[in-house]
Amino acid sequence: MTFEQYISHPAETDDGEPTLLVGEGDRFDDDGHLRTVADRMVEACQGQTLTDGTPAEPVAEVIGLTHDFAKLTRWAQKHLRDQPFQHSDEYRYHAFPSALVTLYCLLECRDEVGDYAAEVATLVVAGHHDRRSPPEPSKLAENYGRATPEGQPTADVREAYERVDKQFDDIDDKVPDRADRIVRAAAEGEGEGSWSGLREWHSDRTEPVDGLHDHLMCFAQMGDRDTGDGYYADVVRLWTALKLADQTAASGLEDDDIGGTLPDREALGQHVDDLNEGEGILADLNCLRDRARRGATDNVEALVASDDVDLITLPTGFGKTYAGLSAGLRAADINDSRLVYVLPYTSILDQTAGEIQSVFGVSPYSKAFTLH
């Protein structure tokens, strides 16, 4: 069974259009989910470098182009269309077979990318739908790298690889040309890659099927890796870029709708000025709060230049929230960056979020403010 169009996500509404996996007429353009995600990931990772010195952009591009590759199977397409199919749910799962495509394109076809970067990218794609975030290499090792004491894959692991073989067979039987276009786009660079080359590579790396084949050993070693700060940072960097690009593309957001804006710092100043209009002790307290806010904000320019850390110490009720917000927004304005406000308890977070929304007139769904 083939489909006239291969989609990555169903329509958001009854009268809406589904998101195309590649693009109209199989064109690799902005109408296709894979190209959109790849472009947004590259932009998110621009100028960044992984721990091993690999530029993040080419790795991000391959992740974006391959992360939904296995949605080419008929089982995934039926699921996206809410149509029944006779196989178990595992046949519609696309993350792991797509991760193998990621591994092939980076390991075999991109000469500028080494084993370390290919491993991190493979983990990101394999775990991009995990409920735990970010993905853990131990889980990948558990699912695809476990062996018995006799040196054979466990039953679950062997079934997983047999299922991938059937998924690849289904793609090869129904849409080999589409598969080849995706692989060639992701493998672009000094190396060469193709769908037939990937099939041969995968077949070689899963022999013997009942032994310690290369794929199994690769994922087993991921679980044994000493994951230091650099490894974790690289996983988070690429995983968050994928989540941002994937979810915004699937939601139909245009590029111009993604960027954020800073809340208006003058709104905070006006709010504090209004507070100062009180009388008696409250008016005196508000004056002290305003003085603290202005002092913290006035120090920001020198603080940013020094690359140091500032500490605001005030008694309870003396305006640390407003002082911190004002100083943080000023620093973000100088650096042309965003402001992340971190709090240790949910109760304080909800209280502060409510105050921010009231003072700045924003909501968690606006460009100026979001709440996690």
Side-chain angles (χ1 to χ4, degrees), residues 282-302:
L282 181 59
D284 293 339
L285 177 58
N286 285 334
C287 285
L288 292 173
R289 290 169 173 166
D290 190 33
R291 187 186 305 171
R293 179 181 64 87
R294 292 179 185 276
T297 307
D298 290 344
N299 288 333
V300 166
E301 194 164 345

Side-chain angles (χ1 to χ4, degrees), residues 300-314:
V300 166
E301 194 164 345
L303 183 68
V304 170
S306 69
D307 198 27
D308 206 344
V309 176
D310 198 13
L311 178 65
I312 300 174
T313 304
L314 290 170

Side-chain angles (χ1 to χ4, degrees), residues 268 271 321-322 325 341 343 345-364 369-372:
L268 177 58
H271 178 75
T321 299
Y322 290 165
L325 279 172
Y341 197 110
L343 291 164
Y345 304 111
T346 304
S347 58
I348 305 175
L349 188 150
D350 292 339
Q351 175 186 333
T352 305
E355 202 163 354
I356 290 172
Q357 293 177 72
S358 175
V359 170
F360 294 103
V362 295
S363 80
F369 174 67
T370 189
L371 177 63
H372 296 283

Side-chain angles (χ1 to χ4, degrees), residues 42-55:
V42 169
E43 184 175 357
C45 295
Q46 189 172 14
Q48 299 179 28
T49 304
L50 303 185
T51 300
D52 69 341
T54 302

Side-chain angles (χ1 to χ4, degrees), residues 65-129:
L65 290 172
T66 59
H67 75 285
D68 276 351
F69 176 88
K71 284 185 177 180
L72 287 173
T73 68
R74 56 182 157 143
W75 304 295
Q77 289 298 309
K78 284 187 174 183
H79 170 72
L80 291 169
R81 291 168 167 81
D82 201 23
Q83 297 175 2
F85 54 89
Q86 295 181 344
H87 286 69
S88 64
D89 258 2
E90 286 84 355
Y91 279 83
R92 68 173 174 85
Y93 296 163
H94 65 278
F96 181 63
S98 297
L100 293 177
V101 179
T102 306
L103 182 63
Y104 166 77
C105 291
L106 288 173
L107 201 61
E108 299 296 314
C109 309
R110 293 272 187 156
D111 293 344
E112 75 274 27
V113 177
D115 292 359
Y116 170 84
E119 175 186 318
V120 171
T122 302
L123 172 62
V124 167
V125 174
H128 77 278
H129 283 301

